[in-house]
Amino acid sequence: MTLADKISDLKREKKAIILAHNYQRPEIQDVADYVGDSIELSRKAMDEKKAEIIVFSAVDFMAESAAILNPEKKVLLPTPGARCPMAQMLTVDEIKKWKVQYPLVPVVLYVNTLASAKAYADVCCTSANAVEVIKSLSADTVLFGPDRNLAEYVERKTGKTLVSIPEWGFCPTHLLFQPEDVQILKMQYPDAVVMVHPECSLEMQNVADFVGSTSQMCRYARETDAETFIVGTEEGILHRLRKDNPEKRFVLAYEDAVCPNMKLNTLEKLYVALREEKHVVTVPEPIAKKARKALEKMFEITN
Ligand code: 13P
Ligand code: SF4
């Protein structure tokens, strides 16, 4: 019996489902009930009725959002240490500091934040809906964090002023992409289409044909006639892209673009977490209540 078979049996026995982010290892994506970007996975977790356990194979803030949105379920994160460094960059003290400086300005937080920070947000957004969320607000100036690159992307798309909190927030994995590497790849694949995540620098966004969330990139690759794609996001997405489009070629814009935290989850750890029902993610209700409001506001706007 393979580990994947054992996981399937356990899932049935325990009434569990597995949600996996597009950056998870191929063998995890292959046992998952659903693979997606952060908004899709949050929605799946929120709408899940039948399962008693949700194994959320991703990083801390995504599993926290599932626990906030569906508090009836037991949410397991296969590796408790799988933390998104960007989410750690925005502390509650930092938000409070900016709110004093801009008392009348709404706070929009990227879902890549901890629940304690989300509790101070008026509304959340993901990379898939940040433009829509900001456009929906009547305010022309918004406090936005923690990703500065996403803030700049949204500023360009909406014409509004996004004050980045902190001023320097970034994703260490997406920082690795450089337009010079794309230029070199373009010499090898002149007809290739370039698609990048908005967590990449503005310079990378400028050389892209498409900028979007991980699942938006998957959709774009399916619907676009091009044969070759240069991909500016974490390498885990290549598995899904190649599985969905076996006739197309996908080349990573920087070959070592790996999110070490996403990769802490392994099939073995997932199996043990489910078998032992351990690494349960919980959020204290006073924080969850406020964070839920900001997440639900996002779903209201983008539904
Ligand atoms: P997506 O919502 O596009 O999947 O992005 C999440 C993330 O962490 C990107 O680094
Ligand atoms: Fe966080 Fe970047 Fe990893 Fe996404 S890729 S989970 S933003 S560190």
Side-chain angles (χ1 to χ4, degrees):
M1 211 181 186
T2 66
L3 200 49
D5 293 335
K6 287 186 189 173
I7 291 171
S8 285
D9 283 358
L10 269 182
K11 268 195 331 186
R12 253 191 314 278
E13 195 185 300
K14 291 177 179 278
K15 294 201 178 69
I17 60 158
I18 300 172
L19 304 182
H21 187 263
N22 288 319
Y23 296 160
Q24 291 298 278
R25 294 170 188 270
E27 58 278 20
I28 293 184
Q29 294 191 28
D30 290 345
V31 297
D33 295 276
Y34 193 81
V35 181
D37 66 6
S38 45
I39 186 76
E40 291 169 333
L41 297 178
S42 292
R43 208 184 287 272
K44 283 274 168 201
M46 179 172 70
D47 295 342
E48 181 56 37
K49 301 267 184 312
K50 279 197 247 149
E52 286 169 15
I53 296 176
I54 298 173
V55 183
F56 210 113
S57 203
V59 287
D60 55 355
F61 72 85
M62 295 190 192
E64 270 191 353
S65 294
I68 291 167
L69 290 165
N70 203 337
E72 311 280 288
K73 310 292 175 195
K74 195 183 257 188
V75 177
L76 310 177
L77 179 63
T79 314
R83 299 207 175 109
C84 167
M86 186 206 278
Q88 320 287 326
M89 289 175 189
L90 185 59
T91 62
V92 167
D93 285 349
E94 182 78 12
I95 303 173
K96 285 183 178 163
K97 186 184 93 184
W98 287 95
K99 273 168 87 90
V100 170
Q101 221 172 311
Y102 292 85
L104 302 174
V105 167
V107 177
V108 180
L109 295 189
Y110 192 25
V111 286
N112 296 39
T113 40
L114 297 176
S116 51
K118 286 189 181 80
Y120 287 84
D122 293 293
V123 54
C124 289
C125 71
T126 74
S127 56
N129 61 26
V131 171
E132 203 182 342
V133 168
I134 297 294
K135 273 189 181 164
S136 77
L137 304 173
S138 52
D140 284 328
T141 302
V142 172
L143 289 172
F144 186 93
D147 189 22
R148 195 186 168 96
N149 288 332
L150 180 62
E152 288 179 349
Y153 171 73
V154 176
E155 259 188 344
R156 292 218 291 200
K157 289 278 179 188
T158 63
K160 297 197 181 193
T161 304
L162 270 64
V163 179
S164 288
I165 57 170
E167 281 152 308
W168 47 269
F170 66 97
C171 161
T173 302
H174 286 86
L175 198 72
L176 297 168
F177 294 106
Q178 305 278 347
E180 294 73 20
D181 293 325
V182 174
Q183 272 162 13
I184 294 167
L185 284 168
K186 273 286 221 180
M187 284 192 255
Q188 202 178 340
Y189 306 108
D191 297 328
V193 162
V194 180
M195 51 184 191
V196 310
H197 198 277
E199 287 176 13
C200 290
S201 67
L202 224 49
E203 293 73 26
M204 273 300 284
Q205 293 174 25
N206 285 342
V207 297
D209 299 288
F210 180 78
V211 181
S213 79
T214 54
S215 287
Q216 286 172 336
M217 281 189 228
C218 293
R219 211 162 307 130
Y220 180 74
R222 255 195 327 269
E223 291 169 1
T224 304
D225 284 338
E227 282 172 9
T228 304
F229 294 79
I230 296 170
V231 183
T233 195
E234 209 268 354
E235 66 86 38
I237 200 172
L238 294 179
H239 178 64
R240 180 166 167 202
L241 288 168
R242 288 173 180 154
K243 208 168 154 178
D244 291 354
N245 310 276
E247 71 295 354
K248 298 186 180 181
R249 184 194 283 123
F250 297 95
V251 185
L252 211 57
Y254 178 73
E255 62 180 353
D256 293 328
V258 173
C259 171
N261 283 279
M262 283 280 183
K263 295 306 195 266
L264 285 175
N265 296 317
T266 62
L267 205 56
E268 288 75 11
K269 286 188 199 163
L270 190 155
Y271 169 68
V272 173
L274 181 55
R275 191 188 63 197
E276 314 286 325
E277 295 185 30
K278 65 178 188 181
H279 310 319
V280 180
V281 178
T282 54
V283 178
E285 188 47 30
I287 291 175
K289 196 174 160 195
K290 291 186 192 158
R292 193 175 299 124
K293 256 175 101 175
L295 285 164
E296 285 174 351
K297 185 89 200 286
M298 165 180 77
F299 286 114
E300 255 169 54
I301 295 169
T302 58
N303 246 338

